[in-house]
Amino acid sequence: MFPIRWLWRNFDKKYRVMLILALILSAVTSMMLVINPFLSAKLFDEVIIPQNPDPLLPLLFAMLAVQIVRQGLRYLMIVFLEKSSQNMIANLRTHLFTMLQQQERSFFDRNRTGDLMTRLSADLDWCRHFSAFLVYQVVDSVVMFTSTLIMFFCVSWQLTLALLAVTPLLMLITKLYSKRVHPLFVGMRDRLSELNTAAQENIAGNRVVKAFAREDYERRRFHEKNREYRDANLDVNKMWLTFFPMIEVLANAMTLITIFFGGFLIIQSQLHPGPNPFTPGELSIFTMLSWALANPMRNLGTLINDLQRFGASATKIIEIYYGKPIIADRADAVDHPKVEGKITFNHVSFSFGPVKVLDDVSFEVQPGQTLAIMGPTGSGKTTIINLLARFYDTQGGEVLVDDCNVHMWKLEQLRRHIGTATQDVFLFSDTVEGNIAFGDPSLSEEEARDFARRAAADEFVSKMPEGYDTIVGERGVGLSGGQKQRIALARAMAVKPAILVLDDTTSAVDMETEKYIQRQLRELPFPCTKIIIAQRISSVKDADLILVLENGRITEHGTHEELLKNHGYYWETYALQNDIH
């Protein structure tokens, strides 16, 4: 019941009323089904058998009017259901997307993109299917069954009890089916998620696949996931086919009972006339409405199928819907209208699972200074940036910005004042200007061009077919690695941050371009503290403080001249890059 209450909360008030009206109309139109069979009985008993034509036209017009009214109400019901379900699904999508935006990076580390996309597409479709179809099908079935049963009892309680004799057995079969099919639907939904993940990873990594000529491997991998999903579907269908014939036989048994037992009652009425004989017209009510008892039973398996699928999908969506991010604003977070850019790490430690990434890291950078970080791959350089922006929380020590622990900062304020450009660049399917102004949509065209010039991007952008209005493909397809890095650098500078982070931003540009960018960074039109992560000595040598990280610990720190005297990792890197033996 909780998934249903959860869905109900996602309808706006106006559309809740629409949904209730739709269900009322569903109930009314289902009850109207018994009217025409009742009029048909009158037709048999008062027109056809006594051969009396007088009531014929009134009865026919009444039957036609009932049908027209019922279809009109049915049309309104469908309109209300569609409008209300679309409102609910739109609210759900918005809320889920908002929740995903608020999740920390560790959430995306744990959850695969394909699985998240499945939750936002196929799983949401099942929620809409429930609110637009299943809910009224259940109401239709219950009301149809109940109103028909009442009508039958009013006409002949003996024949009605005979028809109900099959019901207990049908309920037992339905319960067994429901119990067995639920885990199969959960498994099928998981196989779909794995299939979508395989497809998403292949599309996202298409260049790598082709570069290593791994198309055959990827085809086999996708085929395996596709086969598993097919088998999961077949398992569900086999289970359905096991129970469906039994349900169908019991439903059809009602027709046979109606014919044989109803005929017997008519014969008995003629052989032994009484005050309330069972007439052919009354038998016609049973023959015309026996489907109204049989259909809800026949549809029971399908409804349970769909309800189980809805339950499996709703469970997956609810995990995101109510998933609270671990990293969030504290209730007592401090407001920082102005940021100077002072950075302090006090005995910071951090681990990914059992792997120690940072161990007792301490340093301080004054506002306006430049910090450079060097070290071998996996030494924890990028983790320092992630902790500074509070993408992850420290497991020991503290990180401070302007002498305030980042835990006491409002996340939006903290991250808005940190401009980041990384080696792994993501560009949106937008214009070049749109990508540069992503962090500050109010940026003027002149400012966007100025920051592009400072990032050494203006020259090649101006040569594009439509200049700054050129649409770059997803992830910057059509641009070289260096060009993407320069647009990302312009984007980071364009927000005029108090702290500018460059994580291997110039690794794909030539030396002359790098020198130009470094000169522009020293002449920025706004004050900021800079953090440069790089392996080129030329990129870090002018920094006020250089840190060397090895195995998560600071092994060297100082200026360029001081580190050269140590003859450690920094000196070895300098000697290697300057061909000193």
Side-chain angles (χ1 to χ4, degrees):
M1 288 298 292
F2 176 74
I4 297 174
R5 293 197 304 271
W6 163 71
L7 275 188
W8 176 254
R9 296 189 193 109
N10 284 282
F11 287 92
D12 291 339
K13 186 176 181 180
K14 169 185 174 182
Y15 293 96
R16 289 181 184 178
V17 174
M18 274 193 184
L19 179 61
I20 292 171
L21 286 174
L23 296 182
I24 292 172
L25 289 175
S26 172
V28 169
T29 52
S30 294
M31 286 188 286
M32 288 177 71
L33 284 170
V34 303
I35 298 176
N36 276 354
F38 175 76
L39 295 176
S40 295
K42 293 282 187 183
L43 199 63
F44 270 100
D45 293 338
E46 297 178 12
V47 177
I48 297 174
I49 292 175
Q51 296 185 350
N52 175 22
D54 293 339
L56 178 62
L57 285 178
L59 284 172
L60 291 178
F61 278 121
M63 293 171 73
L64 180 62
V66 168
Q67 195 63 14
I68 291 173
V69 170
R70 183 177 182 277
Q71 292 304 322
L73 295 177
R74 205 72 177 170
Y75 172 79
L76 279 177
M77 178 197 78
I78 297 297
V79 170
F80 288 162
L81 284 171
E82 283 297 321
K83 285 188 174 183
S84 60
S85 65
Q86 290 295 347
N87 165 258
M88 178 273 297
I89 210 71
N91 289 342
L92 261 183
R93 284 197 194 101
T94 301
H95 183 85
L96 289 174
F97 187 78
T98 302
M99 292 303 296
L100 286 175
Q101 294 295 296
Q102 294 174 354
Q103 291 293 346
E104 66 278 351
R105 284 196 180 179
S106 59
F107 172 86
F108 295 98
D109 294 340
R110 295 190 307 269
N111 293 279
R112 299 166 299 181
T113 303
D115 179 58
L116 295 176
M117 292 305 298
T118 301
R119 299 187 196 202
L120 291 173
S121 54
D123 289 337
L124 276 179
D125 284 343
W126 273 104
C127 291
R128 201 193 81 80
H129 179 70
F130 173 84
S131 61
F133 179 77
L134 287 181
V135 67
Y136 93 80
Q137 282 289 309
V138 171
V139 171
D140 267 6
S141 297
V142 171
V143 174
M144 189 189 303
F145 187 89
T146 305
S147 56
T148 302
L149 203 59
I150 293 170
M151 169 68 80
F152 282 0
F153 268 114
C154 292
V155 175
S156 172
W157 64 268
Q158 299 99 323
L159 183 51
T160 304
L161 289 178
L163 290 174
L164 289 177
V166 300
T167 305
L169 187 56
L170 188 64
M171 293 302 169
L172 177 62
I173 292 171
T174 302
K175 185 176 181 181
L176 288 172
Y177 174 70
S178 176
K179 184 177 180 180
R180 293 186 183 182
V181 81
H182 179 71
L184 295 180
F185 275 121
V186 173
M188 185 174 74
R189 190 258 166 223
D190 290 340
R191 299 297 84 73
L192 175 62
S193 173
E194 291 171 5
L195 180 67
N196 286 341
T197 296
Q200 182 272 329
E201 288 178 350
N202 180 271
I203 294 169
N206 185 261
R207 291 183 173 186
V208 178
V209 172
K210 291 187 180 299
F212 286 89
R214 295 287 282 170
E215 290 90 344
D216 286 340
Y217 167 78
E218 287 295 313
R219 273 194 292 269
R220 289 194 301 272
R221 178 168 168 259
F222 184 81
H223 174 73
E224 179 65 21
K225 298 298 181 185
N226 195 23
R227 184 188 62 77
E228 290 175 358
Y229 180 56
R230 179 203 65 191
D231 291 346
N233 269 286
L234 288 175
D235 288 341
V236 170
N237 290 328
K238 286 176 185 175
M239 183 64 68
W240 167 236
L241 290 173
T242 301
F243 284 89
F244 176 73
M246 292 184 277
I247 295 173
E248 194 69 13
V249 166
L250 291 173
N252 288 327
M254 289 187 169
T255 304
L256 297 176
I257 293 171
T258 301
I259 294 171
F260 285 106
F261 195 66
F264 172 77
L265 290 176
I266 290 176
I267 294 170
Q268 286 292 101
S269 296
Q270 291 177 348
L271 292 176
H272 306 286
N276 295 305
F278 189 71
T279 67
E282 289 173 335
L283 178 60
S284 74
I285 293 178
F286 278 86
T287 55
M288 293 179 71
L289 279 178
S290 60
W291 70 269
L293 279 189
N295 255 27
M297 296 182 182
R298 186 181 286 115
N299 294 337
L300 206 54
T302 304
L303 288 175
I304 289 171
N305 259 356
D306 288 354
L307 286 169
Q308 295 289 357
R309 295 187 74 167
F310 159 70
S313 294
T315 300
K316 291 294 183 180
I317 297 174
I318 287 170
E319 288 177 8
I320 299 178
Y321 191 93
Y322 289 108
K324 297 295 182 183
I326 299 171
I327 297 175
D329 288 342
R330 289 172 51 132
D332 57 348
V334 181
D335 193 45
H336 292 82
K338 185 179 180 182
V339 181
E340 298 294 333
K342 181 181 179 182
I343 301 168
T344 309
F345 273 55
N346 283 332
H347 305 288
V348 171
S349 297
F350 181 79
S351 300
F352 280 115
V355 181
K356 195 82 168 178
V357 181
L358 292 178
D359 185 14
D360 196 30
V361 171
S362 297
F363 63 85
E364 185 172 282
V365 185
Q366 297 300 323
Q369 288 188 332
T370 299
L371 168 70
I373 307 174
M374 292 186 68
T377 301
S379 58
K381 302 184 297 295
T382 302
T383 302
I384 287 178
I385 307 308
N386 289 334
L387 295 177
L388 175 65
R390 210 185 163 205
F391 294 134
Y392 300 95
D393 276 338
T394 61
Q395 291 153 1
E398 58 179 355
V399 178
L400 300 95
V401 173
D402 288 354
D403 296 319
C404 179
N405 193 309
V406 291
H407 288 85
M408 298 301 297
W409 279 73
K410 294 179 180 178
L411 286 176
E412 185 181 354
Q413 278 190 344
L414 175 66
R415 292 170 183 172
R416 193 171 63 237
H417 290 292
I418 300 175
T420 305
T422 64
Q423 182 181 12
D424 183 21
V425 178
F426 185 94
L427 297 180
F428 294 91
S429 296
D430 195 356
T431 63
V432 174
E433 183 180 344
N435 271 282
I436 294 173
F438 178 75
D440 182 8
S442 65
L443 199 72
S444 67
E445 183 179 347
E446 292 74 19
E447 287 178 306
R449 288 175 178 270
D450 179 58
F451 286 115
R453 179 185 60 79
R454 293 177 182 278
D458 181 66
E459 183 178 354
F460 74 81
V461 171
S462 299
K463 293 178 181 177
M464 289 181 172
E466 297 179 48
Y468 284 83
D469 293 325
T470 303
I471 301 289
V472 296
E474 186 178 358
R475 296 187 65 87
V477 174
L479 299 174
S480 70
Q483 289 173 332
K484 287 189 286 187
Q485 283 187 345
R486 281 176 271 175
I487 291 176
L489 175 59
R491 178 171 62 190
M493 292 190 293
V495 296
K496 305 180 184 70
I499 300 170
L500 180 62
V501 177
L502 310 179
D503 188 353
D504 250 353
T505 307
T506 57
S507 60
V509 302
D510 58 78
M511 298 297 291
E512 284 301 315
T513 303
E514 183 187 27
K515 288 180 181 178
Y516 173 83
I517 291 173
Q518 288 171 356
R519 186 168 65 252
Q520 292 299 322
L521 287 173
R522 289 193 293 269
E523 300 170 359
L524 287 174
F526 55 89
C528 71
T529 303
K530 304 177 193 69
I531 300 178
I532 300 173
I533 297 175
Q535 286 300 99
R536 288 180 181 175
I537 296 294
S538 57
S539 298
V540 303
K541 63 183 180 65
D542 295 326
D544 299 293
L545 174 64
I546 302 171
L547 303 179
V548 176
L549 280 178
E550 294 182 88
N551 297 318
R553 297 183 67 90
I554 297 176
T555 55
E556 301 176 54
H557 63 92
T559 62
H560 172 71
E561 290 76 14
E562 291 170 346
L563 293 181
L564 287 179
K565 298 174 183 177
N566 292 342
H567 285 268
Y569 177 89
Y570 188 85
W571 184 89
E572 290 173 0
T573 305
Y574 175 82
L576 183 65
Q577 293 181 8
N578 288 276
D579 200 22
I580 299 174
H581 302 287

